[in-house]
Amino acid sequence: MDDLRVGTVIRLVRQRRGWRQRDLAERSGVSQTVISRMERGHLGPQMVDDIRSVAAALDIRVDLVPRWRAGDLDRLLNRGHSALHESVARMFRDELPAWVLAPEVSFAIYGERGVIDILAWHPGRRALLVIELKTDLADMNELVGTFDRKRRLARQIGLERGWDPVTVSAWLIVVGSRTSRRRVAAHAAMLRGALPDDSRAIRRWLRDPVRPVAGLSFWTDGLGETRRPTSQPIRRVRAVAQGASERASGPRATAQRPNR
């Protein structure tokens, strides 16, 4: 986010509306002093919530764009997304072999373009599932709107692949970080309305997809909440000196320290 540019935009839009700084302060709930600093490009000392409040009062959308080591941040984010994609695909392969997965399905329908992270097809039930993978949550309204658009277009996308679905379902999978959980909790009512089914309901449905569902699940440490880790506990084995096993084999054997 360019501080000076943001400040200039706030000032120009305020003046275009014919507002004084005092008018903007009343509508945004942010003090006039803070607004004055913002318009001069001094955003450093301000809270992000104050910046968003002022921008919202002016119908301005402000996006924070983090940058790190040139393109390294994009590669880091893509690596996290790829790891999540691989974990979900592995779960389907190991536990739900009846499903057919199509990764990174792009579409262009009536001017609407996008990519579905995973499009899953259950031939037996003719059930189509749109899976959206998120390593981070930013704009919840945009997320829900975009996801709903993909679900709405999924039937036609499936038909282009020879899949004629009876039902179309949606599953949002979010990496279960504390930040993501807080954001989901803060928008619980909206998300519950759009994605009412929980992880357990999705898990049962995946086994026998007889009706359409729409749900959200957290994915933690590479394993979904609906999965159990398959790794076995590590057993520690103490090395036994040669001949000790023979001495300890009798019914009245006692522990002996090996001679050094």
Side-chain angles (χ1 to χ4, degrees):
M1 182 171 63
D2 186 325
D3 292 8
L4 186 59
R5 177 180 174 83
V6 171
T8 301
V9 169
I10 290 174
R11 176 174 54 81
L12 291 177
V13 175
R14 175 182 62 78
Q15 292 174 346
R16 180 69 176 271
R17 288 175 175 266
W19 292 357
R20 299 168 299 176
Q21 288 184 349
R22 182 187 305 173
D23 300 324
L24 179 55
E26 293 175 354
R27 288 170 168 81
S28 65
V30 177
S31 72
Q32 182 178 345
T33 301
V34 170
I35 291 174
S36 176
R37 287 201 298 263
M38 287 184 185
E39 292 188 352
R40 297 197 304 270
H42 300 160
L43 303 185
Q46 315 308 326
M47 296 292 292
V48 174
D49 288 345
D50 289 343
I51 298 172
R52 291 192 184 279
S53 295
V54 171
L58 295 168
D59 292 329
I60 299 172
R61 175 175 172 175
V62 176
D63 293 327
L64 299 178
V65 182
R67 302 186 186 280
W68 179 64
R69 296 181 183 175
D72 286 353
L73 182 58
D74 290 335
R75 288 191 289 273
L76 181 63
L77 292 173
N78 291 336
R79 184 173 63 183
H81 189 274
S82 297
L84 177 59
H85 195 297
E86 177 63 22
S87 182
V88 173
R90 190 183 305 117
M91 185 272 289
F92 272 91
R93 182 198 64 192
D94 296 343
E95 302 182 18
L96 302 164
W99 287 88
V100 178
L101 301 188
E104 302 295 331
V105 177
S106 60
F107 62 88
I109 300 174
Y110 303 124
E112 296 187 276
R113 300 175 180 272
V115 176
I116 296 175
D117 290 327
I118 300 177
L119 190 63
W121 169 245
H122 193 287
R125 291 296 189 183
R126 291 172 59 190
L128 194 63
L129 174 62
V130 178
I131 301 176
E132 184 83 357
L133 306 175
K134 289 296 180 182
T135 57
D136 185 40
L137 298 174
D139 189 329
M140 288 294 193
N141 291 320
E142 182 179 1
L143 168 64
V144 172
T146 301
F147 197 23
D148 182 71
R149 175 169 58 90
K150 293 178 181 180
R151 178 169 50 176
R152 173 169 47 84
L153 298 173
R155 184 180 300 276
Q156 185 168 344
I157 297 171
L159 287 173
E160 292 176 356
R161 291 177 165 267
W163 299 343
D164 185 9
V166 173
T167 61
V168 176
S169 299
W171 187 15
L172 175 61
I173 299 177
V174 181
V175 169
S177 65
R178 284 182 294 180
T179 299
S180 294
R181 291 177 186 274
R182 285 198 301 268
R183 290 178 179 172
V184 168
H187 298 82
M190 178 185 66
L191 291 173
R192 190 177 298 113
L195 304 165
D197 296 296
D198 60 15
S199 294
R200 292 183 180 180
I202 291 290
R203 179 66 172 183
R204 291 192 298 268
W205 177 85
L206 287 169
R207 297 292 183 184
D208 189 18
V210 295
R211 61 178 180 84
V213 297
L216 182 151
S217 295
F218 290 108
W219 208 262
T220 308
D221 295 330
L223 294 173
E225 285 185 342
T226 56
R227 300 183 63 195
R228 292 181 179 273
T230 56
S231 59
Q232 298 295 324
I234 298 174
R235 295 182 178 179
R236 298 186 181 276
V237 180
R238 178 181 296 177
V240 180
Q242 185 176 6
S245 60
E246 289 82 353
R247 291 194 298 270
S249 60
R252 298 176 58 85
T254 58
Q256 300 182 30
R257 182 183 299 273
N259 294 327
R260 295 185 180 276

